[in-house]
Amino acid sequence: MKPQNRKLWIACGIMALLACAWPDAPSFAQSLRLAATPPMGWNDWYQYQCRVSDAIVRANVDVLVSSGMRDVGYKYVNIDDCWQGKRDAQGFIHPNSRFPDMKALADYIHSKGLKFGLYSSPGPRTCTNFEGSYQHEKQDAETYAKWGVDFLKYDWCSAGKVYRPDQMQAAYRKMHEALESTGRPIVFSLCQYGLEGVWSWGASVGGNMWRTTDDIGGDFNRVSLFGFMQNGLGKYAGPGHWNDPDILQIGLGRLNHNEELTQMSLWCLLAAPLLAGNNLTKMSNDTLKILTNPEVIALDQDPKGIEGHRAWQEGPLEVWVKPLSGDSMAVGLFNRSESPLPVTVRFKAIGMKDNVRVRDLWEWKDLGRFHGHYTAQVPRHGVVLLKLQ
Ligand code: GLA
């Protein structure tokens, strides 16, 4: 037998064994197909909360296309909380009056080459007290599939009133199975704020991504606290299933330019889902540039799917690294202090050879070859993001 055939047979054997030993396991091939790289898109929550409407979503969809965001990968259009109306006599959910025709909205989104996301809760009510999916999981999944939903964020909210913490996994698995039984591929996004160490079981209940933190909305202190706290979770993430430190705060007005670069760089080093959260119709050129730098997005979307980690820290200065395909390495030099400071990366300490080519990914500049180390002056709350080869 040729060596490549032997490998194929061994792989098939392992998969068959896994299927016997763990029949409920979400299909590996399915989750890979759904989220081979971290999902990218837009979510309305931080900008619109319960004011979100069909017209608002369409307006943002149009800009996803005209701005070029779709073409660099932002393809999921995710409606968060507050779309739900009442259930009918048979128990099927209907949208509220701000969404007159959900199927027509989904068709519009699909007609633009984008994908459609919705939101619900395993509890009886969502976090803002709209209808949740409790005891309607199968019906809701059928409705979503009928509308053409491609992504579901499933938010714990009131579920704590009807489930014990040790029933949390079963509650998520129940919706995963309901989604799977529709036959429609739907990315399953767990949202329970990192409770119960979700990273260690999120994939086993069918999650393609799971929130690792509480809601991130806030200033730089909160964004950096949550972002830099992700260190160590990398071993739980990979193609098909990702740690999710929440929506990007870029363009929402609470971060300055350098702070926005820090969030974008760190999220890409973390291989985090990239969900823009701003009003795209009023986005500045600077926001658009930060969200769409193709070389930075390429780090996030690297096919190896390795989540980066902190390689060095001294007080507020941190060096984060993310191994990439093709033997290169992404490196973020971060300065969380209140004044500009130099930060150094030592090549051997991060497993590279002594002689390295360095490119600055925000400046779009090849900096040349360096021996042993590279040092950059990093602005307050800022970052220098490099690719080393
Ligand atoms: C929770 C989630 C947020 C958002 C709101 C909506 O707080 O963590 O991301 O979905 O609910 O009510």
Side-chain angles (χ1 to χ4, degrees):
M1 197 185 293
K2 287 187 184 156
Q4 59 267 46
N5 287 349
R6 197 174 313 130
K7 273 190 198 148
L8 195 66
W9 278 108
I10 292 172
C12 290
I14 291 172
M15 279 164 93
L17 273 176
L18 273 177
C20 294
W22 192 17
D24 291 337
S27 133
F28 182 62
Q30 163 89 331
S31 54
L32 257 188
R33 185 155 53 91
L34 279 172
T37 59
M40 293 175 64
W42 176 79
N43 172 297
D44 68 79
W45 176 249
Y46 280 110
Q47 181 67 45
Y48 300 103
Q49 286 99 35
C50 282
R51 298 184 305 281
V52 66
S53 68
D54 178 288
I56 284 177
V57 174
R58 284 175 194 250
N60 280 280
V61 161
D62 292 347
V63 182
L64 269 176
V65 178
S66 64
S67 64
M69 283 179 72
R70 175 194 63 187
D71 295 341
V72 295
Y74 292 88
K75 66 177 181 188
Y76 287 95
V77 177
N78 293 348
I79 301 174
D80 209 276
D81 205 349
C82 309
W83 63 266
Q84 302 87 339
K86 298 252 175 303
R87 294 191 180 276
D88 61 24
Q90 284 73 45
F92 286 100
I93 187 82
H94 293 270
N96 59 41
S97 58
R98 287 189 312 280
F99 292 93
D101 186 342
M102 212 49 122
K103 172 82 172 75
L105 178 55
D107 289 348
Y108 184 73
I109 290 169
H110 290 145
S111 77
K112 303 281 179 180
L114 294 163
K115 297 203 174 265
F116 176 44
L118 268 190
Y119 166 103
S120 189
S121 170
R125 312 297 293 174
T126 69
C127 296
T128 55
N129 207 27
F130 285 81
E131 275 291 313
S133 292
Y134 181 59
Q135 292 183 332
H136 292 279
E137 294 82 358
K138 224 167 159 13
Q139 263 181 326
D140 284 359
E142 279 168 25
T143 304
Y144 303 154
K146 201 175 73 190
W147 287 342
V149 166
D150 307 296
F151 182 112
L152 179 70
K153 172 172 170 182
Y154 207 42
D155 192 353
W156 191 242
C157 302
S158 67
K161 293 191 181 146
V162 292
Y163 292 118
R164 295 187 313 267
D166 67 339
Q167 294 173 312
M168 189 181 272
Q169 297 188 31
Y172 277 98
R173 187 178 288 118
K174 189 170 194 182
M175 183 49 106
H176 165 68
E177 285 168 1
L179 293 173
E180 267 218 327
S181 68
T182 68
R184 186 175 174 86
I186 298 177
V187 172
F188 192 34
S189 163
L190 276 47
C191 174
Q192 39 77 290
Y193 338 114
L195 296 173
E196 304 291 311
V198 61
W199 36 85
S200 67
W201 52 264
S204 75
V205 299
N208 298 109
M209 51 193 265
W210 46 82
R211 276 269 298 277
T212 53
T213 64
D214 199 352
D215 295 13
I216 199 168
D219 61 8
F220 183 68
N221 284 335
R222 195 162 173 93
V223 171
S224 63
L225 176 73
F226 285 6
F228 289 107
M229 184 167 101
Q230 300 301 303
N231 191 42
L233 296 185
K235 59 178 175 287
Y236 302 105
H241 51 277
W242 308 98
N243 289 310
D244 171 19
D246 208 1
I247 295 163
L248 295 170
Q249 300 298 295
I250 295 160
L252 281 161
R254 285 181 164 179
L255 305 181
N256 68 30
H257 174 77
N258 285 324
E259 294 168 345
E260 292 191 339
L261 293 182
T262 290
Q263 191 187 21
M264 189 70 187
S265 306
L266 187 54
W267 263 233
C268 290
L269 288 165
L270 288 169
L274 298 178
L275 293 173
N278 56 315
N279 176 350
L280 304 179
T281 71
K282 297 221 166 107
M283 161 171 65
S284 70
N285 240 336
D286 189 49
T287 295
L288 179 62
K289 271 198 184 149
I290 295 173
L291 288 173
T292 56
N293 181 327
E295 294 187 44
V296 175
I297 289 176
L299 308 184
D300 184 74
Q301 298 290 305
D302 184 80
K304 265 193 177 169
I306 299 177
E307 180 172 324
H309 68 275
R310 183 188 291 128
W312 176 88
Q313 176 176 23
E314 205 174 275
L317 308 180
E318 305 197 13
V319 174
W320 282 63
V321 299
K322 178 187 199 298
L324 303 169
S325 351
D327 283 339
S328 49
M329 185 81 94
V331 177
L333 311 179
F334 293 95
N335 174 7
R336 299 172 68 183
S337 85
E338 296 305 315
S339 39
L341 284 171
V343 183
T344 296
V345 52
R346 295 189 186 283
F347 305 143
K348 279 205 172 141
I350 61 165
M352 302 231 29
K353 294 206 176 107
D354 208 30
N355 179 348
V356 164
R357 261 191 299 139
V358 180
R359 178 166 173 81
D360 185 320
L361 300 183
W362 287 117
E363 296 295 324
W364 297 51
K365 210 155 128 195
D366 287 324
L367 302 173
R369 279 195 169 278
F370 289 82
H371 292 274
H373 70 276
Y374 177 77
T375 300
Q377 185 73 3
V378 185
R380 163 191 186 265
H381 293 185
V383 61
V384 169
L385 186 63
L386 307 169
K387 187 168 172 182
L388 308 188
Q389 241 159 353

